[in-house]
Amino acid sequence: MPRQLANDLADKIRVQAERSGAQEAETYLETNTTTEVRIRQGQIELVSQSAVQGLGLRVFRDRRMGFLYTTDLRDTVLTELVNRTLNLTNMATPREENKLSEYLSSSQSDLEIYDPIVAQQRPEDLVRLARAAEESAFAQDKRIQTTRDVRCVTSVYEVFFSNTYIARGTYRATSVSLSATPIATQGTQRREGTYIDRKRFLSDLARPEQIGSRAVERALARLGAGPIPSARVPVVFSAEAAGVFLQGLFPALSALNAIEQRSFLAGKIGQVIASPNVTIIDDGTMRRGLGTRYFDGEGVQTHRTVLVDRGVLRQYLHTAATARRMNATPTGNGIRSYDSLPTVGPTNFYIDAVSKTHPVTEDVVQGLYVTGLAGFGVDIVSGVYSQQVDGRWIEKGVLGKPVEGVTVAGKLDEMLLGIDAVGRDLDFRNNVVSPTIRFKELTVGGGA
């Protein structure tokens, strides 16, 4: 759909809803084009392209809300959408927070989230990148004879927004990712390792040769892995593992979960909840960030929000509704798609790196270095953490034998307070990331 036509359509449906009886109305029109290729053993396993467009309509009347969406943008369907959405308000329960945000987006400088070169990539271009990554993997070591797959994906999406107070708002963004998963074989043992890079701009993406090489390193490092005896020892989470841990921790910093007492951090604003080494930030304005956007799903301008400042909990993340309930300012974290209502979500969410002159493993006499996490491990209500992991055993500061089939466990409040080292290897290959972190002591449940 041409951009001007999409802008006009979002505006038109919003006005139509208002004229039909909505006191406030909001339209969220989204288009998304994704191209993916998948390579295995030099052969193309998949080439797919999808184009999705949809419009979500949210209306408010007497503090009652109605919401519907459609992917059929014909006039007759959209007229029916307006009427049905308004009818839904008659069945809804009135709530004081049911209104549009009064904190609206203003113009921002170029956040560099759209790369025309990514938008111009053809499937054959992605095939070349994927093949180069796989060829690099095979060239690294004779123990690499096959791959699970190598994938290259591009996404181009655009948002057209309109509400009663913002006639028009729009932005477009791109992303490109390349991943490789080689399989290492040694005797009867087979282990795989994955490395993925994802960026807004193609020029920022790691070279295919680097991706293949790093994936091989991970696969080879897992050969010969086994369990270890149970112990309470220092545990170091690699940057990637720490990012996964942080993703599980994110809901604890949601204002909605705090309001509804579904977070172990509820009611702790102003209190020390982590070690002084820990600063946690959500930054929706980071240039070229994978979670960066000009405004959130409610038209609120994105911000850089310091949630935990050197161990002290300063703030939760908000939508307009939670901000109203807590008498706070929205943080620009109303994340949504055309087919969903805004919920508290991360933009670029990370533990800030600190300057450390040596690896955080160097002064560990004995401990565990975690490189991979499996399954779900964070219970933000009870504050309990338990997760199956794999990695390497640390002996006198040196990474030793590979480890698998073990569980790491602890209480989240004690774990956060016990982070006694934070690395400086922060790498934004996702929108939720962390540098390497070290927990002073955790329970490692082994099977040996």
Side-chain angles (χ1 to χ4, degrees):
M1 177 182 292
R3 299 187 71 202
Q4 186 59 48
L5 183 60
N7 258 322
D8 291 343
L9 183 60
D11 202 25
K12 172 187 171 183
I13 300 306
R14 186 262 305 168
V15 170
Q16 187 175 339
E18 292 167 350
R19 290 176 177 173
S20 299
Q23 293 166 339
E24 295 180 326
E26 169 193 274
T27 50
Y28 190 94
L29 174 60
E30 182 179 35
T31 66
N32 193 338
T33 302
T34 301
T35 304
E36 178 181 1
V37 302
R38 195 181 305 162
I39 299 293
R40 185 173 181 273
Q41 300 296 106
Q43 302 300 310
I44 300 173
E45 285 201 330
L46 173 74
V47 176
S48 71
Q49 288 185 300
S50 63
V52 177
Q53 61 181 12
L55 182 143
L57 173 65
R58 185 166 61 146
V59 300
F60 298 94
R61 185 162 57 181
D62 299 326
R63 290 292 193 268
R64 301 170 190 265
M65 182 183 70
F67 171 74
L68 281 175
Y69 67 90
T70 181
T71 57
D72 188 339
L73 303 183
R74 291 176 296 171
D75 286 344
T76 54
V77 175
L78 292 172
T79 296
E80 182 69 13
L81 178 79
V82 170
N83 294 333
R84 289 189 178 188
T85 308
L86 283 165
N87 287 337
L88 286 177
T89 63
N90 298 325
M91 297 179 281
T93 301
R95 299 173 67 97
E96 187 59 33
E97 65 268 21
N98 278 344
K99 59 181 292 189
L100 296 177
S101 174
E102 58 271 31
Y103 294 91
L104 304 178
S105 176
S106 58
S107 61
Q108 296 190 50
S109 59
D110 183 10
L111 298 178
E112 299 180 24
I113 58 175
Y114 178 79
D115 180 11
I117 296 177
V118 171
Q120 294 165 8
Q121 295 300 293
R122 299 166 299 172
E124 50 265 40
D125 298 320
L126 308 190
V127 167
R128 280 194 291 271
L129 290 170
R131 278 195 169 134
E134 188 179 55
E135 289 169 2
S136 171
F138 287 143
Q140 300 300 314
D141 194 285
K142 63 182 180 181
R143 289 170 291 180
I144 306 296
Q145 296 297 320
T146 187
T147 60
R148 178 156 60 85
D149 60 40
V150 179
R151 304 182 186 209
C152 191
V153 183
T154 60
S155 177
V156 182
Y157 67 93
E158 194 157 9
V159 170
F160 304 89
F161 181 88
S162 178
N163 73 17
T164 301
Y165 309 109
I166 304 176
R168 295 183 177 187
T170 183
Y171 67 86
R172 54 184 176 174
T174 54
S175 68
V176 56
S177 67
L178 180 60
S179 66
T181 305
I183 298 172
T185 303
Q186 185 170 279
T188 59
Q189 191 177 53
R190 291 162 62 89
R191 293 292 184 270
E192 63 181 41
T194 298
Y195 187 87
I196 180 169
D197 193 20
R198 183 167 171 248
K199 293 292 190 292
R200 290 289 194 190
F201 278 61
L202 183 61
S203 60
D204 293 336
L205 195 71
R207 291 185 293 106
E209 295 77 14
Q210 294 174 313
I211 289 171
S213 174
R214 290 169 185 173
V216 166
E217 288 176 7
R218 293 182 174 191
L220 295 176
R222 298 185 63 201
L223 289 173
I228 54 174
S230 298
R232 279 191 63 82
V233 292
V235 176
V236 178
F237 276 34
S238 69
E240 195 161 308
V244 176
F245 171 78
L246 184 63
Q247 194 157 24
L249 186 66
F250 174 84
L253 292 161
S254 159
L256 181 61
N257 288 333
I259 290 169
E260 297 181 350
Q261 297 298 306
R262 290 188 280 115
S263 168
F264 74 101
L265 296 178
K268 294 187 177 181
I269 295 291
Q271 296 182 28
V272 175
I273 58 98
S275 85
N277 297 309
V278 177
T279 293
I280 300 177
I281 297 169
D282 185 87
D283 187 359
T285 66
M286 180 186 299
R287 276 177 169 71
R288 301 198 181 191
L290 289 166
T292 298
R293 56 200 55 141
Y294 290 91
F295 52 85
D296 72 358
E298 301 180 283
V300 176
Q301 184 169 319
T302 51
H303 299 280
R304 181 182 187 273
T305 305
V306 178
L307 297 152
V308 179
D309 184 9
R310 289 167 291 184
V312 178
L313 180 62
R314 297 297 186 192
Q315 196 167 348
Y316 302 117
L317 291 174
H318 288 280
T319 61
T322 63
R324 203 168 278 120
R325 291 174 70 178
M326 295 187 76
N327 194 29
T329 301
T331 56
N333 289 89
I335 307 302
R336 66 175 297 187
S337 182
Y338 72 89
D339 59 355
S340 62
L341 287 168
T343 58
V344 178
T347 59
N348 300 295
F349 182 66
Y350 60 98
I351 294 177
D352 201 16
V354 301
S355 179
K356 192 168 180 63
T357 57
H358 59 82
V360 296
T361 56
E362 193 173 85
D363 48 4
V364 175
V365 178
Q366 280 191 326
L368 180 64
Y369 179 73
V370 175
T371 57
L373 307 175
F376 179 78
V378 178
D379 186 334
I380 63 159
V381 180
S382 66
V384 172
Y385 176 75
S386 179
Q387 193 156 24
Q388 185 173 326
V389 305
D390 56 58
R392 307 279 292 276
W393 186 248
I394 305 170
E395 193 76 42
K396 296 180 180 179
V398 178
L399 298 183
K401 62 182 179 181
V403 173
E404 66 181 11
V406 300
T407 300
V408 170
K411 294 181 178 179
L412 289 170
D413 53 356
E414 296 175 357
M415 290 175 67
L416 293 174
L417 289 167
I419 295 176
D420 61 356
V422 175
R424 56 182 180 182
D425 51 344
L426 191 59
D427 185 6
F428 286 90
R429 293 185 289 118
N430 201 342
N431 71 309
V432 180
V433 295
S434 170
T436 299
I437 58 176
R438 185 177 69 202
F439 298 98
K440 185 177 181 180
E441 190 175 72
L442 295 179
T443 298
V444 176

